[in-house]
Amino acid sequence: MPAVASVVDEILELKQERKAILLAHHYQESEIQELADSVGDSLELARAAQKFEGDVIAFCGVWFMAETAKALNPTRTVVVPDAKASCSLVESCTAPQVAAFKQKYPDHVVVSYINTSLEVKALSDIVCTSRNAVQVVNSIPADQPILFLPDINLGNYVKKQTGRENMRIWQGACIVHATFPARRLSAARSAYPGALVASHPECPPEVLAMSDFIGSTSAIIDWCVNHPGDEFIIMTESGVEHSLKRRAPWKKFHFVPNENCNCSECPYMRLNTLEKLRDCLRTLQPEVTLSPELMEAARRPIERMLAVK
Ligand code: 13P
Ligand code: SF4
C-alpha cells in the first residue's frame, strides 16, 4: 500500500484481505453507497447477508440490521462502523415490556417490525419490514388478535390496508419520519404543482394521505425511476437521493425537511463514516456478538417472514 493511501483504497484493500462484503442501507452517505457490494432496504440487506459465503459482513446501516444479519448467518463475523448507530424505534420497545404484554394478552400474535432489538424479535411470532408488513399481517388468520410493534404510523397504515380490527399497535415512532410535517408537504406540493409524492409508511397519516405512493426505501426508488413522471417529492431520509439520481439523472427530486433539525437525515445512520468503515475492517470492531440461544430464538420469526411471499 502506498504511504498515503486514500481511505477508499484502504477500504478496498482491507475488504479483499478480510474476504468481506460491504452491505449499505440507502440512508448511508453517498461515499459509502458507492463502495458497497449491495445497497438496499432492510429486507434486501437481510437476504444478502443470509446468502453471503465469505468471512466478514461490514454492515453499513444501524445495529438492529447487523444483528439480523448475524442471526441469519451466525458463522460470519459481522461488524458495524459505529456501535452507537441505533434507532428510535428500537429504543421505544424493550424486551421486558413485550414480555409483560404477552403475559397480559397471551392470545395475541406478536408481529415485530424489523426495527427492533434481537431480544424483542426472539419474543415475537413473526417479523416484518416496511416492504412486506401488509403481506405478513395478511398471512395471519383474520380472527387472530395481533400486537403490531413498535411503529405507530406503520401499524396504522397496515391496519388500514388489511382492514384488521383486532390489531393493537405499539406507540413507538421514528424520530425522522414521524416529524415530517404535513404543512411542509402541502407547501412543497404548491411549490412543485406537477410533482408526485412518494412516502415511507413511517410518516404520519396526514402525510400518507397526501401521497401517490407508499413503500419501503427500495420500493420508493423503483417506483420513481419506473414512473413516467419526472418530478417527485420524496418523504423519506435523503440518503435515497443517491440511487434516485444515479438511476434517473434526468428527473427532479425534492426533499421536505423534518421538524427537529431542518434536514431529512437519520442521526443514527449518519454516524457511520468512511473512516469508521475502514477502522472496523481493520480491527473487526465493533463486532456484533450474540448468544447462540438468542440467535436461534430470533431466527424463527425472521425466517417465518422470509417465507411469506
Ligand atoms: P426500509 O426497510 O424501507 O429500508 O426502512 C428502514 C428504515 O429504518 C426506515 O426508516
Ligand atoms: Fe430508525 Fe428512523 Fe433512523 Fe430508520 S430513519 S433507522 S426508523 S430512526
Side-chain angles (χ1 to χ4, degrees):
M1 192 184 295
V4 190
S6 76
V7 180
V8 169
D9 292 338
E10 287 181 85
I11 291 170
L12 293 175
E13 194 155 321
L14 282 161
K15 186 171 108 96
Q16 252 193 333
E17 251 171 54
R18 294 292 193 192
K19 296 190 181 61
I21 189 173
L22 303 188
L23 302 181
H25 189 265
H26 290 295
Y27 297 165
Q28 295 295 282
E29 59 181 56
S30 296
E31 291 79 3
I32 292 180
Q33 293 194 42
E34 281 293 315
L35 285 179
D37 297 289
S38 270
V39 179
D41 66 17
S42 49
L43 182 63
E44 292 167 330
L45 295 177
R47 289 191 192 280
Q50 186 182 33
K51 63 174 200 255
F52 176 59
E53 290 178 347
D55 292 347
V56 175
I57 298 173
F59 208 112
C60 300
V62 285
W63 195 260
F64 76 78
M65 296 178 178
E67 282 184 335
T68 306
K70 179 74 183 175
L72 285 171
N73 203 342
T75 58
R76 317 295 160 199
T77 298
V78 179
V79 291
V80 182
D82 192 316
K84 292 189 288 305
S86 179
C87 166
S88 61
L89 286 168
V90 173
E91 288 161 13
S92 74
C93 180
T94 66
Q97 288 172 317
V98 177
F101 177 94
K102 282 176 52 141
Q103 216 168 21
K104 197 164 169 197
Y105 302 102
D107 59 331
H108 280 53
V109 160
V110 179
V111 180
S112 284
Y113 191 27
I114 198 164
N115 297 40
T116 44
S117 68
L118 212 67
E119 286 81 2
V120 167
K121 289 185 180 75
L123 291 171
S124 307
D125 295 289
I126 188 162
V127 170
C128 71
T129 75
S130 57
R131 180 184 275 260
N132 61 18
V134 170
Q135 291 94 311
V136 164
V137 168
N138 276 334
S139 75
I140 298 165
D143 57 350
Q144 172 65 58
I146 290 174
L147 168 66
F148 186 95
L149 59 85
D151 189 69
I152 186 171
N153 291 331
L154 176 63
N156 280 322
Y157 170 72
V158 170
K159 190 170 181 174
K160 202 165 157 195
Q161 293 298 305
T162 59
R164 301 296 280 239
E165 288 301 326
N166 48 1
M167 190 166 140
R168 287 174 192 269
I169 301 168
W170 206 265
Q171 303 293 298
C174 160
I175 48 165
V176 181
H177 293 85
T179 62
F180 283 141
R183 63 183 165 76
R184 285 207 178 150
L185 175 55
S186 296
R189 287 210 307 182
S190 304
Y192 315 111
L196 295 158
V197 180
S199 301
H200 197 279
E202 291 170 13
C203 291
E206 312 78 56
V207 167
L208 298 182
M210 281 189 260
S211 303
D212 299 290
F213 178 78
I214 297 165
S216 76
T217 49
S218 288
I220 288 173
I221 293 164
D222 289 342
W223 185 78
C224 293
V225 169
N226 296 324
H227 195 281
D230 57 10
E231 192 169 11
F232 301 87
I233 300 169
I234 309 295
M235 301 303 287
T236 190
E237 215 271 6
S238 55
V240 298
E241 192 173 19
H242 182 76
S243 291
L244 286 167
K245 282 200 165 151
R246 188 177 52 77
R247 290 179 56 191
W250 63 93
K251 296 195 181 191
K252 280 194 188 138
F253 303 104
H254 306 286
F255 286 82
V256 173
N258 71 23
E259 202 82 272
N260 297 334
C261 65
N262 217 22
C263 71
S264 36
E265 291 183 357
C266 170
Y268 300 104
M269 287 275 185
R270 301 303 179 121
L271 286 172
N272 295 330
T273 61
L274 273 187
E275 288 74 16
K276 291 180 196 171
L277 170 58
R278 175 205 51 204
D279 294 346
C280 80
L281 282 167
R282 196 183 268 162
T283 61
L284 297 185
Q285 293 294 330
E287 182 186 352
V288 177
T289 52
L290 301 160
S291 76
E293 298 74 28
L294 175 60
M295 286 194 278
E296 198 189 327
R299 205 157 38 238
R300 258 175 272 139
I302 300 171
E303 285 177 346
R304 228 170 264 146
M305 164 188 78
L306 294 174
V308 170
K309 290 290 165 246

